[in-house]
Amino acid sequence: MPELSPAQRTAGTARFLVAAGTLFAAEAIWRGSVARSLMAAALIVFGGGLLFIAKRAD
């Protein structure tokens, strides 16, 4: 099995963060929690930023 490059590992982490943030946001919206929604949005933005950086590194 070939080794993954650092950019590929970062992209995998970023995809996980975006997916987790999306699920977290759905749960927060369902419960009507503004604070949780903001926290989920921060996770999505952070994951998106990591994904952007990983794509530019390749």
Side-chain angles (χ1 to χ4, degrees), residues 7-38:
Q8 289 172 323
R9 288 193 307 263
T10 301
T13 302
R15 286 186 192 104
F16 176 79
L17 285 174
V18 170
T22 303
L23 290 174
F24 191 32
E27 185 267 339
I29 291 168
W30 179 261
R31 291 182 185 249
S33 174
V34 174
R36 283 179 167 220
S37 297
L38 292 175

